[in-house]
Amino acid sequence: MTLAGACSGAQSQLPALAREAPRVHPNVSQGCQGGCATCSDYNGCLSCKPKLFFVLERIGMKQIGVCLSSCPSGYYGTRYPDINKCTKCKADCDTCFNKNFCTKCKSGFYLHLGKCLDNCPEGLEANNHTMECVSIVHCEASEWSPWSPCTKKGKTCGFKRGTETRVREIIQHPSAKGNLCPPTSEARKCTVQRKKCPKGERGRKGRERKRKKPNKEESKDAIPDNKGLEPSRETPEQRENKQQQKKRKVQDKQQKSVSVSTVH
């Protein structure tokens, strides 16, 4: 074969080789970084390496593709045979499991069974801490304790009518819409057979009265001697005798004065 024939044969095979070569966009590169399988200078990642998720991120007025090991908050991942893709959750959903099941709602919404609601259904109430619809919790109290012994002013003796009490504990506090708790203590009047208090069981007031009451010797010393200050109680005969004694003293004085004058 001549040289001219060889060249003409090679030219006849070029169209077939061109048809078999892959068609690559001039702006697409296969030497990408960040997990991209193919990428573009303008659009970022166009496809991802195996097991990575492709997601579009908005930057200003344009979107670029990125490849991540897991979907960001506000997106859920779906695996397809040709590509793993991140899809944005619903507008009222902050995080989600899929397009129909939300796991956390945005501010102002309450989560209930995967849905984000403005208001909770009947029989539920909104928990503003977790932003979820929860069951209403009513108050629960324990059983009443036995009635206490009958007392009066802290004593259990020295009286006939007193008061006895009983108590109970709160074992479950209510939620915001739950029934309020009942009273935890009760008191009622009681009547007992009066009995004297032993020495060691006097009430506080009784002990104070005992401290204030002086003994016999102290009371004798404390009483002043009132002789000559206050007239004692006299019988009529005693008063008459005193009057007669006064008259005699007056008469004796008069007689002495007369005798003195005669002597001069």
Side-chain angles (χ1 to χ4, degrees):
M1 181 181 291
T2 64
L3 180 61
C7 290
S8 61
Q11 289 179 354
S12 63
Q13 293 179 357
L14 284 176
L17 293 172
R19 286 194 297 270
E20 293 176 0
R23 295 179 179 181
V24 179
H25 193 277
N27 291 331
V28 175
S29 173
Q30 292 183 338
C32 305
Q33 297 180 354
C36 299
T38 58
C39 58
S40 166
D41 293 338
Y42 183 79
N43 293 321
C45 295
L46 300 177
S47 62
C48 298
K49 294 179 180 179
K51 297 183 179 180
L52 297 181
F53 289 92
F54 176 82
V55 60
L56 288 174
E57 289 185 351
R58 182 175 292 277
I59 299 178
M61 296 299 294
K62 73 173 186 177
Q63 288 182 327
I64 63 169
V66 294
C67 295
L68 305 172
S69 58
S70 61
C71 293
S73 179
Y75 290 79
Y76 66 94
T78 307
R79 295 185 183 275
Y80 297 98
D82 55 339
I83 189 172
N84 300 327
K85 187 177 180 182
C86 290
T87 307
K88 194 171 181 62
C89 300
K90 290 183 179 180
D92 54 4
C93 187
D94 195 30
T95 59
C96 58
F97 181 73
N98 55 43
K99 67 177 182 178
N100 296 319
F101 196 93
C102 185
T103 55
K104 183 180 179 181
C105 298
K106 290 187 176 179
S107 178
F109 296 92
Y110 298 97
L111 182 65
H112 177 59
L113 300 179
K115 305 292 182 183
C116 294
L117 308 174
D118 294 324
N119 298 294
C120 293
E122 186 176 357
L124 301 176
E125 66 178 1
N127 186 321
N128 292 321
H129 179 67
T130 61
M131 298 304 293
E132 296 178 347
C133 294
V134 296
S135 300
I136 298 174
V137 179
H138 300 293
C139 181
E140 294 183 20
S142 65
E143 297 293 331
W144 286 108
S145 67
W147 288 100
S148 68
C150 193
T151 61
K152 184 177 182 180
K153 296 181 180 178
K155 298 188 298 182
T156 58
C157 57
F159 62 89
K160 185 177 181 180
R161 292 181 179 84
T163 305
E164 58 185 4
T165 59
R166 64 177 183 176
V167 296
R168 58 183 171 186
E169 296 180 353
I170 301 301
I171 56 178
Q172 176 63 63
H173 290 277
S175 59
K177 291 186 177 181
N179 295 335
L180 298 178
C181 293
T184 56
S185 63
E186 281 186 350
R188 67 181 182 183
K189 300 294 182 181
C190 53
T191 304
V192 296
Q193 186 176 0
R194 186 190 296 273
K195 62 178 180 179
K196 292 184 178 181
C197 292
K199 292 183 179 180
E201 199 176 342
R202 290 190 178 94
R204 180 170 57 86
K205 291 186 176 180
R207 289 193 295 270
E208 290 177 355
R209 286 198 298 270
K210 183 180 179 182
R211 286 196 295 267
K212 291 180 180 179
K213 184 178 179 181
N215 55 36
K216 292 183 179 180
E217 295 180 358
E218 292 176 350
S219 62
K220 286 181 180 179
D221 295 338
I223 297 174
D225 187 5
N226 293 328
K227 289 183 180 181
L229 297 178
E230 294 182 1
S232 59
R233 293 183 180 180
E234 299 175 343
T235 63
E237 294 179 354
Q238 291 175 340
R239 283 196 296 271
E240 188 176 353
N241 291 334
K242 282 187 177 183
Q243 290 176 359
Q244 290 178 358
Q245 290 176 0
K246 288 181 180 180
K247 287 180 181 181
R248 291 194 191 99
K249 288 181 180 180
V250 172
Q251 290 175 359
D252 291 341
K253 285 181 180 181
Q254 289 175 355
Q255 288 178 358
K256 286 181 181 180
S257 60
V258 171
S259 63
V260 170
S261 63
T262 54
V263 170
H264 289 286

